[in-house]
Amino acid sequence: QVRLVESGGGVVQPGGSLRLSCAASGFTFTSYGMHWVRQAPGKGLEWVTFIRYDGSNKYYADSVKGRFTISRDNSKNTVYLQMNSLRAEDTAVYYCAKDSNWGCHDWGQGTLVTVSS
Amino acid sequence: QSALTQPPSVSGSPGQSVTISCTGTSSDVGNYNHVSWYQQPPGTAPKLMIYEVSNRPSGVPDRFSGSKSGNTASLTISGLQAEDEADYYCSSFTSSTTWVFGGGTKLTVL
């Protein structure tokens, strides 16, 4: 079955950087686009970014454009989220999700990012 | 990229039906059938319940159904069960080639 495992979360100071990883298994990774979605403590879901199956196109929410970069390594079945210039408002659980039929069909368990001095 | 509008909370008794609305604009819900619904019990990751407005992934009970009219999508849960108590989110693809979520609706089973 589909398995998505996020890692790389932690505590980082404002202005700092962090790279999240999402290891995928149980499906043909090279055939699917991938999303990152975040959820601030006690808040709702916020879509962050999407990458097509072959990495040819990437899309971002305005709130992270220019600071976050999504990438993927299809040889490692892994998608990444490079987060720079982090702000307090980026504090959230970050989920990766497999796209199917224009929705987030399968989700990982999430990794917590805390931006604090 | 304004969030889609959902009611903060809905409630119903076991066996009853409830409907959760999700209002967007002609740039998202009104222009695409790429509307999804997610269920998130406390402390867990979201789970896809409906995709492409009205389709259920395998394993989702047929008590869950989706529809759309104009700029508003709806999720209906019939025959409410205690296990349905959770937060529910809608999502839509947008004309900016992004996705947007609703603010979420807390379902309470009385």
Side-chain angles (χ1 to χ4, degrees), chain B residues 40-106:
Chain B
Q40 187 180 35
T44 70
K47 173 188 175 183
L48 178 69
M49 304 301 284
I50 296 287
Y51 65 94
E52 293 287 85
V53 174
S54 60
N55 295 281
R56 281 186 309 276
S58 60
V60 173
D62 59 7
R63 303 185 294 105
F64 291 82
S65 62
S67 62
K68 189 185 86 166
S69 177
N71 294 341
T72 299
S74 299
L75 173 71
T76 298
I77 309 171
S78 58
L80 264 181
Q81 299 181 3
E83 66 203 49
D84 298 333
E85 189 160 289
D87 293 328
Y88 289 83
Y89 296 89
C90 61
S91 174
S92 176
F93 180 73
T94 83
S95 59
S96 301
T97 323
T98 60
W99 280 257
V100 62
F101 281 93
T105 298
K106 181 178 179 60

Side-chain angles (χ1 to χ4, degrees), chain A residues 15-76:
Chain A
S17 298
L18 211 55
R19 189 177 84 154
L20 306 182
S21 300
C22 171
S25 60
F27 64 101
T28 305
F29 184 71
T30 54
S31 296
Y32 291 90
M34 297 293 293
H35 298 265
W36 285 97
V37 176
R38 68 185 180 183
Q39 186 170 33
K43 303 296 185 181
L45 301 174
E46 180 187 11
W47 177 82
V48 176
T49 181
F50 170 80
I51 186 168
R52 284 176 58 90
Y53 68 97
D54 58 358
S56 60
N57 292 92
K58 307 169 186 180
Y59 307 103
Y60 299 92
D62 287 345
S63 57
V64 306
K65 198 174 295 183
R67 300 187 300 123
F68 289 12
T69 302
I70 189 171
S71 62
R72 63 191 296 159
D73 185 337
N74 283 351
S75 69
K76 295 182 178 179

Side-chain angles (χ1 to χ4, degrees), chain A residues 1 7 11 24 27 34 36 52 69 82 93 98 104 115:
Chain A
Q1 71 277 22
S7 60
V11 180
F27 64 101
M34 297 293 293
W36 285 97
R52 284 176 58 90
T69 302
Q82 177 67 42
V93 173
K98 166 180 163 278
C104 297
V115 183

